[in-house]
Amino acid sequence: RNRSSMVRHLGTAVLLGCLVALSCRSVSAQEEQESVLARAYFRWSAEGWNATTKDGEKWPSDGELGQLKSSDEDDTIWYFKASHEFLGNKAEAYGGTISFTLGHMEYNSLGLGNQEDFDIILESAAHNISLGHKHIVPPWVTSSENVVELSEEGGWVDTESSESATRLSLLRCLSNLSGLKIRGSYYHGHEYAYLKDVILSKGVKQDLAWVRNDAHVDEICRALKLKTVACEHYGVHLIKALQKVNMNKLRADHASQMRKRKDYERSEDERRAQIEREMLEKQQNSVK
């Protein structure tokens, strides 16, 4: 009887253990799901993704069976280009990651080294920002799983100036993302590349109150005649200064000053016109 009781208790403990494990796994899966902003598995199609050359020309690609694929026969640099699901306001991705698997079923280097260029490019046409990251995908491997941090410490640089990306430039770029490109071409000769399991994940929630997603920053930068790179470099200080300014009151005061100036100029015009009329009348009276 004791042995039977022990077996029952053991069975109950095992069952409870399984239920706890399943519950923990379910919670973990739910948390992982909630942290995902966008994902592409390419199970049955390209899921809105396509390919483009470095210069923006359309490049042939095809997606099915879990892979987005394309190829080339020369040293053309081309990129896999993200669907609309990955674009728009993705500010929550700051501090998070973008992960993907990139592989080559075939490649021929022609005896040369791999081609140097940005492996990932983030673009915001609205803010005129283009950020890139190099040396993510290792050369000479058939497949690699890659995870890239979306922060100013993640290795991102301005694609034009090569200056390190600032927190502000990353946040502004992610807040109005118009392009996300992952390079597929790495070799000088023939290559057949594929992309799969692309996931854009959230970072730790940020206090974005100081990152105003409107024209204020650009307005100040234009007034100070700052170029884009300088604007991004000094942007944090500009935004913090703007927070202390009531922009509506500032614009109202400016409009009031402009009205006073126009009233003054109008009164001056009327006064000059009156003087001219009086002088003309005097001349006419003197002639008579």
Side-chain angles (χ1 to χ4, degrees), residues 90-102:
K90 292 295 184 287
E92 288 182 296
Y94 176 81
T97 61
I98 179 167
S99 61
F100 61 93
T101 298
L102 185 79

Side-chain angles (χ1 to χ4, degrees), residues 200-263:
L200 183 65
S201 300
K202 295 179 184 178
V204 177
K205 189 173 182 180
Q206 300 291 313
D207 177 11
L208 303 181
W210 61 275
V211 183
R212 300 193 179 191
N213 192 21
D214 57 26
H216 288 170
V217 176
D218 301 309
E219 185 178 339
I220 289 291
C221 288
R222 283 195 299 270
L224 298 177
K225 297 182 179 179
L226 291 176
K227 294 183 179 179
T228 303
V229 175
C231 185
E232 295 305 333
H233 182 73
Y234 296 108
V236 175
H237 306 291
L238 290 172
I239 290 294
K240 287 184 177 179
L242 278 173
Q243 282 188 317
K244 299 176 183 178
V245 177
N246 186 325
M247 294 300 293
N248 292 329
K249 184 177 183 303
L250 188 64
R251 290 193 176 98
D253 290 344
H254 175 70
S256 176
Q257 291 294 329
M258 292 301 294
R259 281 195 299 271
K260 289 179 180 178
R261 176 180 291 182
K262 287 181 180 179
D263 291 341

Side-chain angles (χ1 to χ4, degrees), residues 102-123:
L102 185 79
H104 282 79
M105 289 175 275
E106 302 170 6
Y107 68 83
N108 184 355
S109 67
L110 300 179
L112 302 171
N114 64 305
Q115 299 191 85
E116 285 284 331
D117 217 308
F118 292 106
D119 292 352
I120 304 183
I121 296 177
L122 303 175
E123 297 172 330

Side-chain angles (χ1 to χ4, degrees), residues 36-42 46-50 68 80-93 97-100 120-124 150 173-182 195-202:
V36 172
L37 286 169
R39 68 187 345 155
Y41 288 141
F42 312 116
E47 298 182 10
W49 284 63
N50 52 43
L68 182 65
F80 295 112
K81 189 176 179 181
S83 65
H84 290 294
E85 184 186 356
F86 285 77
L87 308 180
N89 184 0
K90 292 295 184 287
E92 288 182 296
T97 61
I98 179 167
S99 61
F100 61 93
I120 304 183
I121 296 177
L122 303 175
E123 297 172 330
S124 175
L150 293 165
C173 188
L174 290 169
S175 71
N176 203 331
L177 200 60
S178 59
L180 189 165
K181 297 185 288 189
I182 300 175
L195 177 71
K196 68 177 187 178
D197 300 337
V198 186
I199 300 176
L200 183 65
S201 300
K202 295 179 184 178

